[in-house]
């Protein structure tokens, strides 16, 4: 009998069920769900994640379609721009002139418009590079750029915690792939030192790591790539708008813009919108524009999101006070969580990853959502290694101390329950 290609799907579902049951038994978890019932077990293993939530979920509070109110700590809307009234009013007025689908076509056919080029010039100036190219999503930007910049003659060297989109692009590229332990400069240098001099080398990192909240040792990595003749690709999705005087990200914060060969980002975090970009020198951007599969074979970013992102960029560049408020809230929340004994790892950004053993985070999030009116999401394997789970909490500028106090006290109470 031939092997069924879907066998892995069944195996994965059974593995998730086994982990949840084992955690419940080993940790003596008290849950309102009856895990002896297959429907409850399957709900927790899958439907809990993708069951959906309120449409307007960017603010600190939200209301579901059935009228239930929640405090929300799960989105990356750091500066509250998804809720910004000026941007909202601007987008409504813009939509009076154009359809939601404009322009039609991919960038290489009929999809490129002057608005794209205007915005790309503004992002290039913002990132202090020669050129920029925008994509319909952040993942498309990362995946497509890495996939086309490297080939079978090259070596891609990725941080072990580099974003999944970067890893997908690396696999598609056909290049040799090596990974170094997270932020381990010694292992990175060892790989560079032993690499084939005939291979082109691209180091691929995040600026801010989305699941840990820590940052890359950027200057030291720049020194290593220069020493061994490599190039550096940095995905700063969670740094853009959040770090630096002008919100230019980790490179601006450390004054290293000119040493980063490729800077990448997304508009779905601090910009409060959608889309992604790659910024680099002109020749690199032109090459990516012709060869990135995620640009070539998909529709161009809409004029609406492009115009909204331009409006958000104006606010971000002059948003020092917003970032100051963001870090005041971050400090308040993280200090309170640490004082309660929760583990936040090495975070030094507004990302607060509360780490637990096993899959306890799933049960905690279910308890918080259903009995405390708090919307947070669990992070489990494969996003993080097996044996751990995380509740990744984001405090935005729109959260008040009362919001954060209620969350911390509820989390503590829920943790003692489960």
């Amino acid at each position: 009998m031939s092997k069924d290609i879907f066998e892995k799907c069944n195996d994965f579902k059974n593995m998730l069920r086994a982990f949840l049951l084992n955690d419940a038994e080993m940790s003596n978890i008290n849950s309102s769900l009856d895990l002896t019932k297959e429907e409850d077990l399957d709900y927790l293993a899958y439907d809990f994640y993708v069951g959906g939530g309120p449409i307007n979920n960017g603010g600190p509070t939200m209301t579901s379609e059935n009228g239930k109110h929640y405090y929300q700590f799960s989105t990356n809307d750091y500066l509250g721009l998804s809720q910004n009234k000026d941007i909202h009013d601007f987008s409504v007025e813009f939509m009076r002139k154009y359809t939601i689908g404009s322009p039609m076509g991919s960038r290489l056919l009929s999809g490129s418009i002057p608005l794209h080029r205007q915005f790309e010039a503004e992002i290039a100036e913002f990132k202090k590079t020669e050129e920029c190219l925008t994509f319909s999503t952040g993942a498309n930007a990362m995946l497509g750029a890495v996939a086309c910049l490297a080939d079978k003659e090259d070596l891609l060297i990725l941080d072990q915690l580099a974003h999944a989109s970067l890893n997908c692009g690396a696999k598609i590229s056909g290049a040799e792939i090596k990974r170094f332990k997270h932020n381990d400069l010694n292992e990175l240098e060892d790989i560079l030192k032993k690499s084939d001099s005939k291979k082109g080398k691209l180091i691929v990192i995040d600026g801010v790591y989305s699941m840990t909240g820590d940052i890359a040792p950027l200057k030291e990595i720049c020194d290593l790539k220069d020493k061994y003749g490599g190039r550096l690709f940095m995905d700063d999705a969670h740094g853009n708008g959040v770090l630096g005087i002008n919100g230019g990200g980790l490179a601006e914060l450390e004054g290293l813009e000119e040493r980063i060969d490729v800077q990448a980002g997304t508009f779905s975090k601090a910009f409060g919108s959608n889309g992604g970009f790659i910024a680099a020198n002109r020749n690199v951007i032109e090459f990516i524009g012709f060869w990135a599969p995620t640009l070539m074979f998909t529709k161009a970013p809409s004029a609406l999101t492009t115009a909204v992102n331009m409006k958000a960029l104006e606010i971000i560049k002059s948003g020092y006070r917003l970032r100051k408020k963001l870090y005041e809230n971050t400090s308040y929340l993280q200090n309170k969580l640490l004082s309660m004994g929760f583990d936040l790892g090495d975070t030094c950004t507004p990302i607060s990853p509360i780490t637990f053993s096993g899959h306890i985070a799933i049960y905690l999030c279910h308890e918080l959502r259903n009995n405390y009116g708090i919307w947070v999401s669990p992070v489990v394997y494969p996003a993080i290694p097996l044996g751990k789970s995380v509740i990744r909490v984001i405090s935005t500028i729109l959260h008040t101390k009362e919001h954060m106090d209620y969350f911390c006290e509820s989390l503590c109470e829920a943790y003692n329950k489960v």
Side-chain angles (χ1 to χ4, degrees):
M1 184 176 178
S2 62
K3 181 180 178 180
D4 182 0
I5 195 170
F6 292 160
E7 186 178 328
K8 63 176 72 70
C9 307
N10 298 328
D11 291 344
F12 181 70
K13 181 173 185 176
N14 291 333
M15 181 187 72
L16 285 179
R17 285 177 171 178
F19 283 141
L20 288 169
L21 288 170
N22 182 67
D23 287 340
E25 183 178 340
M26 294 292 291
S27 303
N28 195 28
I29 288 174
N30 178 27
S31 173
S32 58
L33 295 169
D34 184 354
L35 298 187
T36 63
K37 294 180 178 178
E38 192 169 288
E39 59 268 27
D40 278 11
L41 189 58
D42 285 348
Y43 164 76
L44 204 58
Y46 181 74
D47 292 337
F48 178 63
Y49 298 99
V50 298
I55 295 174
N56 190 19
N57 69 345
T61 61
M62 58 189 192
T63 304
S64 68
E65 280 61 45
N66 64 9
K68 186 168 182 179
H69 301 288
Y70 295 94
Y71 294 96
Q72 190 280 122
F73 285 88
S74 267
T75 73
N76 301 308
D77 189 23
Y78 296 110
L79 304 180
L81 296 189
S82 76
Q83 308 297 300
N84 183 280
K85 186 178 185 301
D86 289 341
I87 293 178
H88 174 77
D89 292 346
F90 170 81
S91 65
V92 170
E93 187 59 34
F94 191 92
M95 279 303 298
R96 295 185 193 279
K97 301 177 182 179
Y98 306 101
T99 67
I100 189 69
S102 302
M104 299 302 294
S106 74
R107 292 295 300 270
L108 291 184
L109 296 176
S110 57
S112 285
I113 56 175
L115 194 65
H116 288 142
R117 298 307 300 147
Q118 181 184 345
F119 182 44
E120 287 164 348
E122 291 181 7
I123 290 290
E125 182 182 11
F126 178 58
K127 300 300 291 181
K128 296 186 179 179
T129 61
E130 288 183 356
E131 291 284 348
C132 170
L133 191 61
T134 54
F135 291 69
S136 55
T137 69
N140 277 355
M142 315 304 167
L143 191 157
V146 173
C148 72
L149 284 173
D151 60 33
K152 62 181 181 180
E153 304 297 326
D154 299 318
L155 171 63
L156 289 171
I157 309 170
L158 284 81
D159 186 288
Q160 205 169 46
L161 296 187
H163 193 268
S165 61
L166 300 171
N167 279 278
C168 287
K171 291 177 183 177
I172 292 170
S173 74
E176 180 184 1
I177 301 170
K178 289 188 179 294
R179 294 179 175 83
F180 60 97
K181 291 186 185 72
H182 179 49
N183 283 347
D184 189 326
L185 295 168
N186 291 329
E187 188 166 10
L188 172 58
E189 181 167 22
D190 189 55
I191 293 171
L192 287 165
K193 190 183 297 183
K194 293 176 180 177
S195 65
D196 185 345
S197 62
K198 295 179 182 178
K199 285 181 175 284
K201 295 176 282 292
L202 183 65
I203 302 167
V204 181
I205 63 171
D206 288 13
V208 176
Y209 286 87
S210 60
M211 290 301 159
T212 53
D214 59 344
I215 61 175
L218 196 52
K219 181 183 181 301
E220 292 81 358
I221 292 176
C222 286
D223 291 343
L224 287 176
K225 67 104 176 176
D226 290 343
K227 180 178 179 180
Y228 292 99
R231 298 286 189 172
L232 177 59
F233 183 113
M234 182 173 72
D235 165 14
D236 207 18
H238 289 268
N240 292 312
V242 173
L243 300 177
I245 294 295
N246 303 301
L250 183 61
E252 184 197 38
L253 179 70
E254 305 209 351
L256 296 168
E257 294 102 326
E258 295 181 1
R259 298 186 66 186
I260 316 299
D261 300 293
V262 182
Q263 297 191 57
T266 178
F267 305 121
S268 62
K269 310 298 192 271
F271 281 72
S273 178
N274 195 37
F277 70 87
I278 302 293
N281 72 41
R282 183 166 290 107
N283 290 346
V284 170
I285 292 301
E286 287 179 357
F287 181 87
I288 294 172
F290 273 98
W291 291 103
T294 52
L295 187 86
M296 189 185 308
F297 302 119
T298 193
K299 188 176 177 297
S302 75
L304 173 62
T305 56
T306 302
V308 164
N309 289 334
M310 290 174 72
K311 193 76 173 174
L313 179 60
E314 290 177 17
I315 296 171
I316 283 172
K317 288 192 293 187
S318 60
Y320 173 76
R321 290 182 180 176
L322 299 181
R323 284 181 284 280
K324 185 173 182 291
K325 174 64 174 174
L326 174 64
Y327 278 92
E328 287 173 356
N329 279 0
T330 296
S331 178
Y332 183 84
L333 176 66
Q334 291 181 352
N335 286 335
K336 196 169 184 72
L337 288 168
L338 289 169
S339 72
M340 292 177 162
F342 291 107
D343 177 13
L344 301 182
D346 297 321
T347 185
C348 55
T349 65
I351 297 169
S352 302
I354 310 170
T355 304
F356 302 91
S357 61
H359 289 70
I360 294 174
I362 298 177
Y363 297 96
L364 274 173
C365 289
H366 182 267
E367 179 76 13
L368 288 168
R369 193 176 299 180
N370 287 279
N371 296 320
Y372 293 87
I374 294 175
W375 196 283
V376 285
S377 301
V379 183
V380 296
Y381 177 82
I384 59 174
L386 282 171
K388 291 185 178 181
S389 58
V390 166
I391 298 177
R392 188 180 66 166
V393 180
I394 307 290
S395 54
T396 73
I397 67 164
L398 300 179
H399 285 98
T400 65
K401 286 184 178 179
E402 289 74 22
H403 294 148
M404 294 183 279
D405 285 343
Y406 179 69
F407 168 74
C408 292
E409 290 158 9
S410 299
L411 175 64
C412 204
E413 191 174 303
Y415 182 70
N416 290 330
K417 279 184 183 179
V418 302

